[in-house]
């Protein structure tokens, strides 16, 4: 099986190389904004889409007019039009699906997500030392990077991007893995919680990290300082960088944790049963709509923040692809009643769960940790999904949706 994997490293640029990267990223941003403006106009005027080949022709014109636009590798600029094409395809798809916010592609601002892609011709040269890798970039020459781990497979393309603490290169590689097969069938149900990140049906648990919570005081302090400074002054800029660095730090901790947690679960099981959680909908619901304003907005917001904080959605994605790589599979079940049902006798009632942490069945008096009880229910649901196929789940979900839909008078 061939999979795509990316490997990201910090670049060690000379000042002239850094300047070149800034220029290319700026040129890419320029092309993005110019092309987007054209596409936006065509769309707003007559709901038309300009194809990227047409945009590439405009690009040639712009290059003739502007000298500095001929410095970046042509392919990097053409790549921008390709990316824009994808952004519009996604927009049209969401429009077709009648999504609340189809997300029209946005203009890019200087200093935010500066990056460019080198679609072809990137290759590695002999390493300078054990820790310093060398990459040859067409038109730009040799770049050094801090090699923190080995690159696997063959490089397809590379992306150079700026984070608040420097420039990075990410290699996208084609990696061949031996068709995996798990040695034994091991199925587990997992319940995702706020207090405990994951509770497994076999009683194992993974505690979460809340990097945002841990850094929130520091962030608030800098944000307050920032508000006192004159906008765009040099001191304002310094604090802004500090804030960005904290955000990056938070992101890194979270990602690292999610990788470890997902590997731990994926490596030791062949089937993982999870609830299908719509994290996006959950985070949206706190505010409610104008007709139906949300209750307990602050409390829900707190919960929502910790959901986002722990990155369940990312976790779900990590588990999914890691299971694919290791030959396992993920089964999703309907989250209905999993926290209210007794895992021993099946009695389902809100009253069974008097507190967030404790479950006590009113019918058979079974007492258990509430998350563990839920994980066992999820596992049981998983077994029935596997036994009767996916169709059963789909129809159950449909019924549930229809039941929830308010009747129109
Ligand atoms: Zn019971």
């Amino acid at each position: 099986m061939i999979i795509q994997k990316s490997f990201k490293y910090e670049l060690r640029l000379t000042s002239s190389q850094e300047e070149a990267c800034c220029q290319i990223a700026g040129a890419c941003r320029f092309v993005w904004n110019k092309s987007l403006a054209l596409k936006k106009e065509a769309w707003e005027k007559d709901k038309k889409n300009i194809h990227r080949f047409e945009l590439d022709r405009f690009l040639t014109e712009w290059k003739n007019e502007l000298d500095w636009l001929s410095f970046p590798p042509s392919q990097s600029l053409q790549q921008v039009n390709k990316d824009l094409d994808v952004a519009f395809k996604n927009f049209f798809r969401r429009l077709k699906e009648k999504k609340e916010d189809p997300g029209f592609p946005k203009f890019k601002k200087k200093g935010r997500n500066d990056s460019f892609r080198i679609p072809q011709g990137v290759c590695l040269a002999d390493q300078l030392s054990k820790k310093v890798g060398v990459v040859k970039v067409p038109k730009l020459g040799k770049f050094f990077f801090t090699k923190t781990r080995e690159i696997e497979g063959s490089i397809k393309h590379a992306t150079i991007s700026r984070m608040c603490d420097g420039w990075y290169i990410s290699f996208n590689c084609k990696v061949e893995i031996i068709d995996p097969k798990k040695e034994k069938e091991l199925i587990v149900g997992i319940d995702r919680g706020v207090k405990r990140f994951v509770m497994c049906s076999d009683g194992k648990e993974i505690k979460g990290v809340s990097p945002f919570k841990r850094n929130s005081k520091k962030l608030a302090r800098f944000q307050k300082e920032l508000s006192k400074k004159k906008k765009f002054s040099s001191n304002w800029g310094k604090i802004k960088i500090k804030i960005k660095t904290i955000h990056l730090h938070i992101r890194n901790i979270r990602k690292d944790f999610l990788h470890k947690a997902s590997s731990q679960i994926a490596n030791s099981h062949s089937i993982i049963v999870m609830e299908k959680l719509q994290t996006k909908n959950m985070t949206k619901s706190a505010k409610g709509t104008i007709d139906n304003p949300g209750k307990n907005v602050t409390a829900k917001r707190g919960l929502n923040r910790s959901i986002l904080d722990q990155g369940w959605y990312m976790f779900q994605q990590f588990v999914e692809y890691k299971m694919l790589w290791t030959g396992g599979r993920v089964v999703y079940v309907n989250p209905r009643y999993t926290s209210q049902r007794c895992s021993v006798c099946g009695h389902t009632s809100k009253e069974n769960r008097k507190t967030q942490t404790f479950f006590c069945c009113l019918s058979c008096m079974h007492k258990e940790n509430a998350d563990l009880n839920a994980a066992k229910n999820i596992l049981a649901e998983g077994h029935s999904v596997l036994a009767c196929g996916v169709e059963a789940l789909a129809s159950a979900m449909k019924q549930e949706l229809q039941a929830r839909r308010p009747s129109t008078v």
Side-chain angles (χ1 to χ4, degrees):
M1 182 165 61
I2 288 177
I3 57 165
Q4 278 191 37
K5 236 174 166 179
S6 58
F7 302 87
K8 196 172 181 178
Y9 307 91
E10 189 171 5
L11 282 168
R12 301 177 170 196
L13 301 178
T14 63
S15 55
S16 63
Q17 282 177 331
E18 197 176 335
E19 206 178 301
C21 286
C22 280
Q23 266 187 43
I24 299 170
C28 287
R29 185 174 57 241
F30 174 85
V31 172
W32 173 279
N33 288 344
K34 273 275 232 191
S35 295
L36 175 56
L38 286 174
K39 279 176 93 99
K40 195 176 179 218
E41 202 191 330
W43 172 249
E44 282 171 354
K45 240 183 179 173
D46 355 81
K47 297 280 173 251
K48 262 191 182 163
N49 184 28
I50 303 180
H51 196 266
R52 73 177 164 87
F53 293 133
E54 225 173 305
L55 289 174
D56 283 346
R57 276 203 292 278
F58 279 111
L59 181 60
T60 322
E61 275 177 36
W62 300 332
K63 271 180 165 176
N64 290 335
E65 287 163 21
L66 304 159
D67 279 347
W68 52 270
L69 214 50
S70 50
F71 166 68
S74 301
Q75 288 182 332
S76 297
L77 296 178
Q78 281 162 6
Q79 182 64 41
V80 174
N81 285 339
K82 267 190 202 168
D83 292 343
L84 194 59
D85 222 43
V86 173
F88 266 83
K89 268 187 190 139
N90 289 335
F91 165 69
F92 292 137
R93 178 179 44 80
R94 289 188 294 255
L95 208 62
K96 214 173 162 187
E97 290 166 359
K98 295 195 166 58
K99 287 266 161 78
E100 204 179 308
D101 175 22
F104 193 85
K106 287 190 175 81
F107 289 100
K108 290 194 172 172
K109 279 185 184 164
K110 192 180 173 183
R112 195 174 290 176
N113 304 326
D114 281 342
S115 71
F116 58 94
R117 187 191 282 186
I118 301 134
Q120 273 176 14
V122 174
C123 61
L124 296 173
D126 286 340
Q127 269 178 239
L128 209 62
S129 71
K130 213 177 169 190
K131 280 190 174 167
V132 182
V134 184
V135 55
K136 276 192 206 157
V137 183
K139 233 181 156 179
L140 294 172
K142 281 181 182 173
F143 281 17
F144 296 151
F145 61 93
T146 309
K147 198 170 180 186
T148 39
R149 61 170 169 158
E150 283 302 320
I151 301 169
E152 297 163 29
S154 58
I155 299 172
K156 277 183 68 195
H157 56 80
T159 303
I160 292 178
S161 61
R162 173 152 62 181
M163 310 286 270
C164 51
D165 58 345
W167 287 87
Y168 287 80
I169 187 161
S170 173
F171 299 107
N172 187 285
C173 301
K174 254 188 184 174
V175 182
E176 191 170 1
I177 52 174
I178 306 157
D179 280 341
K181 232 182 196 150
K182 293 255 166 150
E183 277 166 19
K184 50 185 174 190
E185 284 274 295
L186 244 168
I187 178 167
V188 71
I190 59 174
D191 180 52
R192 293 174 277 192
V194 174
K195 269 200 165 165
R196 201 180 274 105
F197 186 69
V198 158
M199 175 58 112
C200 300
S201 52
D202 56 9
K204 283 190 195 109
E205 55 180 88
I206 297 175
K207 284 203 174 71
V209 287
S210 307
F212 185 81
K213 222 171 166 180
R214 263 194 292 168
N215 287 282
S216 61
K217 271 189 186 163
K218 216 164 143 194
L219 263 177
R221 203 176 65 229
F222 283 128
Q223 234 117 29
K224 206 175 162 192
E225 259 183 66
L226 189 75
S227 65
K228 287 180 192 158
K229 298 277 184 279
K230 204 180 152 212
K231 226 175 175 182
F232 306 117
S233 67
S234 74
N235 279 330
W236 180 87
K238 274 180 206 160
I239 297 173
K240 193 95 188 160
I241 288 177
K242 274 184 190 161
I243 292 175
K244 275 190 181 174
T245 315
I246 298 174
H247 277 300
L248 181 72
H249 177 64
I250 291 172
R251 249 199 340 259
N252 286 343
I253 294 179
R254 186 184 294 146
K255 219 171 162 185
D256 184 56
F257 163 74
L258 293 172
H259 268 304
K260 278 182 188 148
S262 53
S263 293
Q264 192 184 330
I265 290 182
N267 290 342
S268 47
H269 301 95
S270 51
I271 299 173
I272 292 171
V273 189
M274 284 197 273
E275 289 175 328
K276 186 95 192 164
L277 292 176
Q278 297 288 341
T279 327
K280 253 190 181 162
N281 290 348
M282 288 170 84
T283 49
K284 227 181 228 170
S285 62
K287 244 197 279 170
T289 57
I290 300 166
D291 297 334
N292 182 25
K295 286 173 193 160
N296 302 324
V297 173
T298 0
K300 271 192 195 160
R301 215 176 256 164
L303 176 69
N304 288 343
R305 181 177 293 166
S306 45
I307 292 167
L308 284 179
D309 211 4
Q310 301 187 325
W312 281 348
Y313 184 66
M314 211 186 243
F315 177 75
Q316 195 172 297
Q317 285 176 314
F318 285 176
V319 168
E320 254 179 43
Y321 79 71
K322 281 176 188 173
M323 287 303 273
L324 187 75
W325 290 357
T326 52
R329 63 184 284 206
V330 179
V331 173
Y332 287 107
V333 296
N334 194 335
R336 182 178 47 169
Y337 306 132
T338 45
S339 62
Q340 296 172 12
R341 193 185 310 129
C342 170
S343 60
V344 175
C345 76
H347 177 66
T348 306
S349 162
K350 246 187 192 170
E351 304 296 313
N352 285 346
R353 193 171 181 174
K354 286 237 164 72
T355 67
Q356 189 72 29
T357 49
F358 193 64
F359 186 93
C360 177
C361 176
L362 291 180
S363 175
C364 75
M365 301 314 283
H366 168 66
K367 291 185 183 73
E368 200 161 39
N369 172 295
D371 293 337
L372 182 58
N373 180 67
K376 284 179 179 171
N377 284 332
I378 290 167
L379 175 66
E381 289 263 335
H383 276 301
S384 59
V385 167
L386 287 170
C388 60
V390 188
E391 292 81 6
L393 173 76
S395 80
M397 285 247 189
K398 212 172 168 187
Q399 276 173 14
E400 169 88 346
L401 273 172
Q402 274 163 353
R404 253 192 254 154
R405 201 169 291 154
S407 55
T408 42
V409 183

